[in-house]
Amino acid sequence: MNVLLIGSGGREHALAWSLSASPVLTKLYCAPGNPGIEAVAECVPILASDAEALIAFAKDRKIGFAVIGPEAPLVAGLADRFEAAGIWALGPSARGAILEGSKGFVKDLCRDFHIPTGNYRRFKEPACAKTFADALGQPVVIKADGLAAGKGVIIAETAAEAHKAIDSMFEGAFGAAGAEVVVEEYLDGEEASFFALTDGEHVLPLAGAQDHKRVFDGDKGPNTGGMGAYSPAPVLTDSVIEKIVSRILKPTVAAMTERGRPYMGVLFAGLMIKDGEPKLIEYNCRFGDPETQVLMLRLKSDLLTALLAARNKVLDRIDLRWSDDPALTVVMASKGYPGDYGKGSEIRGLEEAARLPDVQVFHAGTARKDGKIVASGGRVLNVTATGKTVRQALQRAYAAVDLIDWPQGFCRRDIGWRAIAREL
Ligand code: AMP
Ligand code: GLY
């Protein structure tokens, strides 16, 4: 079968790396891909937002299955477009992708179906939103309802900050995403992510991970898309995972079907765990980035077979095997990220780094220029390794980082600190 993977980040490089090893694959294409992905797939210069060109290409190359990486095309209905063209697609319909596209929708669903999450209310104007935020006390969480590229969440430490956040959202700081605002209770505990595949009826648990959202060591500085991750997440014990699946994921999938929004694809739950009790923070309708990079290193079964089973509603026939060895990824980013950063600086030493045992270097924001690899984004490389312990995976990943010669880049040096503290 010919497969078209859509996206261009480190998540897609990891997915392409895994899909390319599938015994059921004939040829893998990636649109638009990146120079790292070129090693395992044929990259085609079509943007994820260009549905028409993607479908024309897919028909021309007899693509049997499209795997959609990022959330924006899913929320915009790209899976529906492929299916309407007679091409199977992995990922929810636009009606299903509302699980990521509207934070208020998810909160209402949790309320109606008794899925554990924090207290909240939805608002269309600032005055009542401020009154409710004051009533919740501080810290309090203010969110733009719609997609805001991961930036539409403000954790306000004072009432004044909460009011300012509410005003700025209604004044358009996040565009149309902030036309509605969700004010919610701040959940205390340890944060983790859990991934599952669902076909709308069955839920196949994948694995858990923890990422590091803040840009600097010690979890300081502004939030980012993620500066590193590791899997498994020690806070997700078997008992916690059982609760996540039975109290959160399965009821959500059943609720979506009941609401006439059957959900198929990856369900990525952002969770807060306190005293062994998980609560939902939010859903994403796709694989995580950089969590996928560590998940793919631990997956021992065929990814493509599992994704096809989700599309074809036979997920109950799939049993995935995972390595118990932890995997860890360090994000190398352009200096200045998540603010302004330069582009075009050359990156050397990639081959030396990739030659280290149990190391994979995934490209996230690179381009090829005059035969050289240059930085072209904020998050640029995901240096990923496995080991018998998180500490060993970490040592291997940083040994590879240290072989990469890129003065214009930086990374956190403390990825995995929570898990390593537990190993001591
Ligand atoms: P999100 O974009 O919804 O993932 O939110 C970004 C980050 O804000 C999350 O990963 C959490 O660290 C934090 N966050 C969001 N909502 C809450 C909440 N209700 N309580 C505590 N932290 C939260
Ligand atoms: N790393 C968080 C995300 O993919 O949304």
Side-chain angles (χ1 to χ4, degrees):
M1 163 178 275
N2 292 335
V3 175
L4 174 61
L5 172 66
I6 291 152
S8 63
R11 165 184 50 212
E12 285 75 26
H13 189 180
L15 292 172
W17 178 77
S18 187
L19 291 169
S20 69
S22 172
V24 289
L25 181 75
T26 309
K27 177 147 179 136
L28 181 63
Y29 296 91
C30 185
N34 69 39
I37 297 175
E38 282 169 9
V40 288
E42 181 178 331
C43 293
V44 288
I46 307 174
L47 294 180
S49 52
D50 192 350
E52 217 150 294
L54 288 170
I55 284 160
F57 174 84
K59 285 186 173 163
D60 184 55
R61 298 301 167 97
K62 302 198 166 30
I63 299 296
F65 192 38
V67 177
I68 303 168
E71 66 277 12
L74 288 166
V75 172
L78 186 58
D80 310 75
R81 296 282 298 267
F82 273 108
E83 292 283 345
I87 298 162
W88 295 348
L90 190 279
S93 64
R95 285 177 64 73
I98 193 172
L99 277 189
E100 179 160 358
S102 168
K103 296 185 159 71
F105 174 90
V106 172
K107 287 297 217 176
D108 285 351
L109 199 77
C110 288
R111 177 197 60 203
D112 296 349
F113 292 86
H114 310 293
I115 295 165
T117 188
N119 189 9
Y120 77 103
R121 271 179 61 193
R122 306 171 72 169
F123 297 95
K124 289 215 159 95
E125 56 77 36
C128 296
K130 290 177 188 171
T131 308
F132 183 69
D134 291 348
L136 283 180
Q138 294 85 33
V140 63
V141 185
I142 316 292
K143 295 185 178 177
D145 180 73
L147 282 191
K151 298 196 179 83
V153 175
I154 293 170
I155 298 176
E157 302 289 345
T158 64
E161 261 182 65
H163 291 198
K164 198 170 139 225
I166 291 166
D167 283 332
S168 77
M169 285 186 194
F170 282 118
E171 281 159 13
F174 301 105
E180 184 173 334
V181 167
V182 179
V183 176
E184 61 181 59
E185 175 191 354
Y186 176 80
L187 296 173
D188 192 24
E190 187 171 338
E191 195 173 345
S193 306
F194 193 77
F195 297 85
L197 264 178
T198 177
D199 56 13
E201 184 185 347
H202 314 99
V203 173
L204 179 70
L206 299 176
Q210 274 177 305
D211 77 352
H212 297 66
K213 298 216 187 246
R214 303 293 195 98
V215 70
F216 299 129
D217 283 16
D219 293 327
K220 301 219 163 54
N223 260 329
T224 69
M227 294 300 292
Y230 53 94
S231 173
V235 68
L236 300 180
T237 59
D238 289 348
S239 141
V240 173
I241 290 175
E242 195 281 320
K243 289 175 190 168
I244 292 168
V245 173
S246 66
R247 298 182 190 169
I248 298 178
L249 300 178
K250 285 187 173 171
T252 298
V253 169
M256 289 295 280
T257 300
E258 197 175 314
R259 287 280 157 91
R261 295 176 179 271
Y263 186 95
M264 181 275 292
V266 177
L267 197 49
F268 163 177
L271 303 149
M272 196 65 84
I273 322 296
K274 193 176 182 197
D275 303 327
E277 296 298 321
K279 284 188 178 171
L280 182 72
I281 297 177
E282 60 153 11
Y283 276 126
N284 296 305
C285 64
R286 48 158 177 98
F287 277 111
D289 190 347
E291 293 90 337
T292 305
Q293 289 80 318
V294 286
L295 255 52
M296 291 304 114
L297 283 199
R298 292 189 53 226
L299 180 63
K300 295 292 161 208
S301 305
D302 182 34
L303 175 68
L304 183 51
T305 303
L307 300 184
L308 284 165
R311 159 61 182 75
N312 292 323
K313 298 201 185 310
V314 288
L315 257 191
D316 52 325
R317 294 192 206 154
I318 300 289
D319 185 21
L320 294 178
R321 286 181 307 111
W322 297 87
S323 167
D324 288 333
D325 290 354
L328 179 141
T329 189
V330 177
V331 172
M332 296 184 77
S334 299
K335 281 182 183 162
Y337 173 80
D340 294 338
Y341 53 82
K343 287 187 183 177
S345 51
E346 186 182 351
I347 304 167
R348 295 188 207 90
L350 286 168
E351 282 167 20
E352 291 82 345
R355 268 200 293 273
L356 292 184
D358 302 300
V359 167
Q360 288 292 331
V361 179
F362 295 119
H363 290 222
T366 65
R368 203 181 286 284
K369 197 175 153 205
D370 305 329
K372 296 171 180 155
I373 299 293
V374 300
S376 67
R379 293 190 295 171
V380 173
L381 297 169
N382 309 134
V383 182
T384 314
T386 54
K388 285 287 161 211
T389 59
V390 179
R391 175 176 290 273
Q392 191 178 42
L394 170 136
Q395 283 163 347
R396 288 174 174 164
Y398 282 112
V401 164
D402 291 338
L403 288 176
I404 293 173
D405 176 12
W406 179 38
Q408 295 83 357
F410 77 100
C411 66
R412 278 182 61 161
R413 301 294 312 193
D414 65 343
I415 299 305
W417 67 268
R418 278 180 200 276
I420 286 168
R422 280 185 165 97
E423 278 176 356
L424 293 176

